Amino acid sequence: PQVEESHDEL
Amino acid sequence: MNVFRLLGDLSHLIAVIILLQKIWHTRSCAGISGKSQVLFALVYTARYLDLVSTYVSLYNTFMKVIFLISSYATIYFIYMKFRATYDRNHDTFRIEFLILPSVLLALLINHQFSFLEVLWTFSIYLESVAILPQLFMVSKTGEAESITSHYLFALGSYRGLYIFNWIYRYWSEQHYDIIAIVAGVVQTVLYCDFFYLYVTKVLKGKKLQLPA
């Protein structure tokens, strides 16, 4: 799965 | 950013404005589940801790601050300022049965076993079920004020619109976050019963009556 460097969604 | 996510965030913003406006103008939180609001405050606190560490955009920061302030303001109204109007007897959902499984699941299934990431994952799982006490309360009282059902419709639409955002982002950016998507689908499905009643009843000017 896509490892999120930072979550850009609220 | 895409139109679906923007509409979703605006729908979320409208929901919190409707709720605060309802409580402030009627000076009453009758029919509102304090437990769901506690869960939402927990969700946004756990998810928006990155406010101090990561700057995404002015919009992102502004909305996070708004959702944090509004969730705590709502709790203040329910449990302090207008606590006499809080319907404690109908707000009886055991939220520990939502919090603990979310904690366990976040520890087991996450993208990365780091403090902020596990907290983010916990907030995603908890948000998907945070509305249950409110829906449970409406089913127990058997009805909801129309303003409360508008609040629920806006709140349910927010994550429903996010699903279109995730489809769009997968198609256009090959970006997807399976945890957010699965939880978001679960969250939206939980509203389906309510959405049906809202469209068939409230929009026709009738009162929202849930089969108790």
Side-chain angles (χ1 to χ4, degrees), chain B residues 16 20 35 40 51 58 60-61 69 80 91 103 135 141 144 152 179 182 194 197 208:
Chain B
V16 300
L20 286 173
K35 297 195 169 192
F40 286 128
L51 265 176
L58 194 61
N60 189 275
T61 302
I69 291 173
M80 283 183 249
D91 192 14
V103 171
L135 295 177
T141 52
L152 286 171
I179 287 177
V182 171
F194 165 76
L197 288 166
L208 181 83

Side-chain angles (χ1 to χ4, degrees), chain B residues 192-202 208-211:
Chain B
C192 284
D193 174 37
F194 165 76
F195 280 147
Y196 171 76
L197 288 166
Y198 182 81
V199 171
T200 55
K201 292 219 172 134
V202 179
L208 181 83
Q209 312 271 341
L210 275 183

Side-chain angles (χ1 to χ4, degrees), chain B residues 25-37:
Chain B
H25 277 261
T26 63
R27 304 187 71 74
S28 157
C29 47
I32 303 297
S33 162
K35 297 195 169 192
S36 274
Q37 298 308 318

Side-chain angles (χ1 to χ4, degrees), chain B residues 34-55:
Chain B
K35 297 195 169 192
S36 274
Q37 298 308 318
V38 166
L39 293 178
F40 286 128
L42 212 48
V43 164
Y44 301 132
T45 304
R47 190 178 306 175
Y48 297 159
L49 285 181
D50 64 355
L51 265 176
V52 296
S53 62
T54 320
Y55 177 78

Side-chain angles (χ1 to χ4, degrees), chain A, chain B residues 5 9 60 117 120 162 165-166 169 176:
Chain A
Q2 174 106 358
V3 178
E4 298 290 314
E5 58 291 337
S6 84
H7 298 289
D8 62 347
E9 294 180 348
L10 289 175
Chain B
R5 184 143 63 104
D9 292 339
N60 189 275
E117 189 61 27
W120 176 86
Y162 256 67
N165 153 62
W166 291 321
R169 291 190 77 177
Y176 68 95

Side-chain angles (χ1 to χ4, degrees), chain B residues 127-147:
Chain B
E127 187 189 12
S128 63
V129 292
I131 201 60
L132 282 176
Q134 178 67 65
L135 295 177
F136 181 73
M137 182 176 191
V138 170
S139 68
K140 270 193 86 170
T141 52
E143 63 177 10
E145 290 173 35
S146 58
I147 190 75

